[in-house]
Amino acid sequence: MVGSGASGVHFALTALQRGHQVLLLDVGYERPKVPLPDATFDGLKSGLDDPVRYFLGTQWDGVTYPKGGEGSFYQHPPSKSYVFHRPATFPVSSDAINPHFTFARGGFAEAWTAGVYPFTDDDLAAFPFGYEELRPHYLEVARRIGIAAEHDDLAQFMPFDAEYLPPLDLDSHSRHLLGVYARKRMQLHQRLGFFLGRSRVATLSVAYGGRKECSSLGRCLWGCPHDAIYRPSVTLAECATYPGFTYRPGVMVKRFDYDVGGNVTGFEAASIDGKGTERHEADVFVLAAGGLPTSKIYLESLRAKTGHVGSLPGLMDNRQIHIPFLTPAMIGRDAPSSSYQFHHLAFGMPQANPAHYVHGQITTLKAAGIHPIVQSIPLDLRTSLRLFQAFRAGLGVANINLHDSRRSDSHVTLQPDSTSGLSRLILRYASDPAEAHLIDSSIATVKRALRSMGSFVPPGMTRILPKGWSVHYTGTLPMQEAEAEHTCRPNGRVNGFLNLYVADGAAFPFLPAKNLTFTLMANAVRIAEAIP
Amino acid sequence: MTEPIATELLDREVAVFTRYLIGTTASAYICACYRDGHSTIPYRGLGTTTKFDPMLLTIARTGQAGVRLADAYARWFLPSGVLRQKLVLLLAILENAPTSSAATTRATLGSRTAVLAKICGATASGVAAIVAGLLILGPLHLVTTLVMPKHPSLDTHD
């Protein structure tokens, strides 16, 4: 199999538990050593020899310069740059989407914010199975990774039936918002269709599975030194305890070979350091490299065999919108950085079509870099800094996620280069014409809900992020009941192949607004359990 | 341009700008970081400077009043310009350096009334700086843009 992300490691662990031998091929860039693991966020600044280079990077890529109102208010820090490093041997061009790639050990979930929300039957309407079929696999993943959650108003949008851990301690701003919501919830439900609750997060509120609970160091964004925030490398380490498991990092799978009967005979992988290629044979082959790399391996394999460059329609990604807000009631209070930094609260907004449910999370980051926010205040930097300090305890960001659906004009293909021998991955994305209305209505509803809860949204600071930001690339090899070219069977087997499976997001036929990683993991377990 | 002059100018900038932003003296560590970080500042690589950038920078280097005026003006009329890039770089350094982090990132504590009063005062002061910048630097910007025949190189300034 290829890929050590959230899908890959859970597929591998299940296959190992069922007695299979697993060879996992991976580029596998490693997480750098975490400095001063017991230091708090502020303690790092006083304890490190060169804190500025740690927080801003030796190449200074952690500095967010003025861009004229574009982009996010926060970005991944230099300590996570290994997650997003793309080898030069993986060229890409894109149109109307700004994709990110990961070749890290553990994949994108090495840098996620740990939101885990099971899909409902409405979310899964386009899938060839429903919630009941996925449920035991959600339970298994929840048991493996540990999820802190609470039963609340969001349970109507996401089943609450796994063995969850107690919720994390709330920060003071999130506690205030939840308190106001409790007093106004009927009004918010009836007038706005806005429902608030606790985020469900793969972050430990108590020690679990050999991992320590969150100790409120405030280093979430830079990488939890104690793995209280789950990351796939934890499961990869568990896989390594099985004698039937072999991890082969440092290689990039280029393509698979297959015979005329559709029997895949081997993976061809190139050494990432340019020292040649290697071939691996097996009985069953599994693609779990992530939606876009999996698509490339598939297209490259067909091209090598047939000489024809194919195209995979249906590329999807969630639209994300950031709405910064201020809660005046928090002004004058402290904003300690020693707390869990990612979202404590989540919200849901049902739509006329249940599959178009809008999902969001509220982050009250206290330990993120401040210069991206301060520079966006429309006054001189000194005054802006004073205002930021005065507002600090009341600042938050509502992050809205919208669904996406498969369309023929959003597709993935290749552009072969006979000179270099490297095919370029080509992405073309066209937004759903109906999305503009959903963007407008979602922003309006969230702003009204925040106002109802006593918060204020500064004009002109809402950011509709470019497609590609959410890194939820899915839909290019969808699972479906009907047999068709470039699709998968409900069990993940690729149509036209006897022993090739897709276990990642490429096989999703629809992309709900909820964070997809929990379902990626559960689906990978489901597919692994069905492997003969 | 020779390196010693560039270093001298950068040290002058970091001294003036640090006192402007947080009211303290820049440590040797902050100066070293600023010199190092400055080599990757976007305008140097992209060449996206205007005719007015060098003049604004010269005014900013003169002292507290100059940098306040220039910054307030730049926030509206050259928001991605050279001066703003330099100030944002320094702010990023100050928030992470041990001697200046607390002064940069701490929340303002106190009664809500007192903090709201500070907010009102700071906002009024900030708006006044923009108006002053517009009155004083606006005409200079206009003249520079219309009259100066040649785009002066920033190399002679830093």
Side-chain angles (χ1 to χ4, degrees):
Chain A
M1 61 177 297
V2 51
S4 66
S7 305
V9 295
H10 285 280
F11 180 97
L13 184 57
T14 303
L16 291 163
Q17 288 171 339
R18 295 184 67 239
H20 293 290
Q21 304 258 316
V22 175
L23 167 64
L24 200 161
L25 305 172
D26 197 19
V27 173
Y29 293 133
E30 284 191 83
R31 181 193 201 187
K33 189 173 180 291
V34 176
L36 305 178
D38 294 320
T40 62
F41 174 73
D42 290 330
L44 279 179
K45 294 179 180 176
S46 54
L48 290 171
D49 290 338
D50 192 353
V52 168
R53 265 69 163 206
Y54 175 75
F55 286 106
L56 299 179
T58 52
Q59 304 301 311
W60 298 88
D61 46 340
V63 182
T64 301
Y65 285 101
K67 291 176 195 161
E70 294 176 356
S72 170
F73 288 101
Y74 47 87
Q75 61 180 13
H76 290 290
S79 59
K80 296 274 182 72
S81 60
Y82 76 101
V83 177
F84 301 96
H85 177 61
R86 175 164 55 92
T89 51
F90 196 94
V92 178
S93 294
S94 61
D95 180 22
I97 185 168
N98 182 22
H100 298 269
F101 291 85
T102 181
F103 294 87
R105 193 170 298 191
F108 280 128
E110 294 289 304
W112 69 331
T113 58
V116 281
Y117 307 95
F119 289 0
T120 62
D121 280 332
D122 289 328
D123 299 320
L124 295 165
F127 287 66
F129 50 82
Y131 174 72
E132 276 307 313
E133 189 170 339
L134 210 47
R135 180 172 177 271
H137 313 299
Y138 279 131
L139 300 186
E140 171 63 13
V141 173
R143 189 193 61 74
R144 289 179 183 177
I145 69 178
I147 297 172
E150 189 164 66
H151 190 282
D152 52 30
D153 284 348
L154 297 181
Q156 63 191 292
F157 307 119
M158 51 199 81
F160 191 91
D161 54 5
E163 290 187 20
Y164 293 125
L165 306 176
L168 297 163
D169 291 336
L170 284 169
D171 65 55
S172 56
H173 190 185
S174 299
R175 188 182 305 114
H176 170 82
L177 291 171
L178 207 53
V180 177
Y181 169 79
R183 294 196 297 275
K184 300 192 170 184
R185 57 193 286 272
M186 293 311 293
Q187 175 192 340
L188 287 160
H189 296 177
Q190 291 166 4
R191 293 170 73 176
L192 297 176
F194 181 90
F195 299 79
L196 187 72
R198 297 294 305 268
S199 292
R200 297 185 194 179
V201 289
T203 304
L204 302 183
S205 54
V206 295
Y208 184 83
R211 290 154 53 210
K212 285 178 66 176
E213 73 275 24
C214 173
S215 45
S216 299
L217 297 176
R219 293 169 60 175
C220 311
L221 193 60
W222 281 267
C224 178
H226 300 304
D227 287 336
I229 301 172
Y230 172 78
R231 56 194 188 104
S233 293
V234 170
T235 303
L236 187 64
E238 189 176 349
C239 290
T241 64
Y242 285 77
F245 183 68
T246 304
Y247 181 60
R248 173 72 176 99
V251 294
M252 183 188 292
V253 172
K254 296 292 188 185
R255 60 175 166 263
F256 53 82
D257 306 318
Y258 59 99
D259 60 26
V260 289
N263 192 50
V264 175
T265 54
F267 272 145
E268 184 182 314
S271 170
I272 206 69
D273 58 12
K275 292 182 179 170
T277 60
E278 52 193 65
R279 191 170 187 281
H280 297 278
E281 297 180 353
D283 300 318
V284 170
F285 295 82
V286 180
L287 299 175
L292 296 177
T294 284
S295 301
K296 187 178 183 191
I297 293 168
Y298 175 82
L299 288 169
E300 189 65 57
S301 306
L302 268 59
R303 187 182 78 85
K305 182 76 172 177
T306 67
H308 173 70
V309 177
S311 173
L312 303 178
L315 174 64
M316 300 183 284
D317 187 38
N318 293 120
R319 174 73 73 186
Q320 289 201 347
I321 303 160
H322 287 179
I323 304 180
F325 65 90
L326 168 68
T327 304
M330 298 299 297
I331 286 175
R333 300 194 199 178
D334 198 5
S337 63
S338 53
S339 63
Y340 183 64
Q341 296 296 308
F342 292 148
H343 46 89
H344 284 273
L345 304 177
F347 55 87
M349 299 187 291
Q351 307 294 309
N353 180 341
H356 297 175
Y357 161 85
V358 174
H359 186 71
Q361 296 170 144
I362 291 178
T363 302
T364 55
L365 279 172
K366 304 296 185 296
I370 69 164
H371 69 277
I373 303 168
V374 173
Q375 66 178 279
S376 69
I377 297 172
L379 294 167
D380 64 85
L381 211 57
R382 175 194 169 97
T383 305
S384 300
L385 183 58
R386 302 292 174 273
L387 292 178
F388 173 82
Q389 291 170 328
F391 293 144
R392 172 140 217 193
L395 292 176
V397 177
N399 183 355
I400 301 175
N401 272 15
L402 304 184
H403 75 281
D404 200 3
S405 54
R406 301 185 69 248
R407 293 178 303 285
S408 58
D409 50 3
S410 296
H411 65 271
V412 177
T413 187
L414 294 181
Q415 184 182 66
D417 184 339
S418 56
T419 311
S420 67
L422 298 172
S423 289
R424 178 174 294 272
L425 184 66
I426 308 292
L427 311 180
R428 301 267 183 263
Y429 187 86
S431 290
D432 183 349
E435 190 189 56
H437 174 71
L438 189 57
I439 290 173
D440 291 344
S441 65
S442 300
I443 291 173
T445 302
V446 170
K447 284 184 173 179
R448 289 174 65 191
L450 288 168
R451 274 201 300 272
S452 294
M453 292 192 293
S455 298
F456 164 71
V457 177
M461 294 185 75
T462 295
R463 303 273 169 90
I464 300 168
L465 300 178
K467 274 286 178 176
W469 178 268
S470 79
V471 304
H472 296 162
Y473 314 124
T474 48
T476 48
L477 291 163
M479 290 179 282
Q480 59 182 43
E481 289 288 357
E483 290 199 36
E485 186 183 37
H486 307 328
T487 64
C488 294
R489 304 292 297 150
N491 66 354
R493 183 173 62 79
V494 182
N495 273 312
F497 295 93
L498 301 175
N499 58 344
L500 177 68
Y501 291 79
V502 172
D504 60 27
F508 278 26
F510 179 72
L511 185 59
K514 292 169 194 160
N515 310 51
L516 85 171
T517 307
F518 193 26
T519 304
L520 283 175
M521 295 188 273
N523 184 57
V525 172
R526 185 187 69 86
I527 291 172
E529 289 199 348
I531 294 283
Chain B
M1 204 62 218
T2 56
E3 190 59 28
I5 295 175
T7 301
E8 188 179 294
L9 276 171
L10 291 178
D11 286 350
R12 168 72 182 159
E13 281 178 11
V14 76
V16 172
F17 296 173
T18 300
R19 185 158 292 284
Y20 163 63
L21 287 172
I22 59 170
T24 62
T25 306
S27 67
Y29 176 65
I30 291 170
C31 290
C33 287
Y34 186 75
R35 285 195 296 267
D36 185 25
H38 196 273
S39 63
T40 64
I41 203 163
Y43 82 84
R44 292 175 68 99
L46 301 174
T48 51
T49 58
T50 70
K51 293 175 182 176
F52 193 54
D53 274 306
M55 190 173 292
L56 205 57
L57 198 53
T58 303
I59 293 166
R61 285 175 183 144
T62 58
Q64 302 304 295
V67 66
R68 180 92 191 274
L69 200 68
D71 180 24
Y73 183 82
R75 175 63 185 86
W76 280 88
F77 300 102
L78 283 170
S80 309
V82 173
L83 176 60
R84 289 289 292 187
Q85 289 183 22
K86 285 172 180 270
L87 287 168
V88 166
L89 169 65
L90 180 59
L91 180 61
I93 292 168
L94 293 174
E95 69 168 301
N96 291 303
T99 53
S100 53
S101 172
T104 313
T105 62
R106 68 175 168 231
T108 306
L109 304 181
S111 73
R112 202 180 316 160
T113 308
V115 178
L116 283 171
K118 286 182 185 172
I119 290 170
C120 291
T123 305
S125 164
V127 171
I130 294 170
V131 172
L134 185 61
L135 291 173
I136 297 168
L137 300 178
L140 270 177
H141 191 178
L142 189 66
V143 170
T144 307
T145 305
L146 294 176
V147 175
M148 280 186 70
K150 182 168 167 262
H151 187 157
S153 169
L154 276 164
D155 292 345
T156 57
H157 294 263
D158 67 358

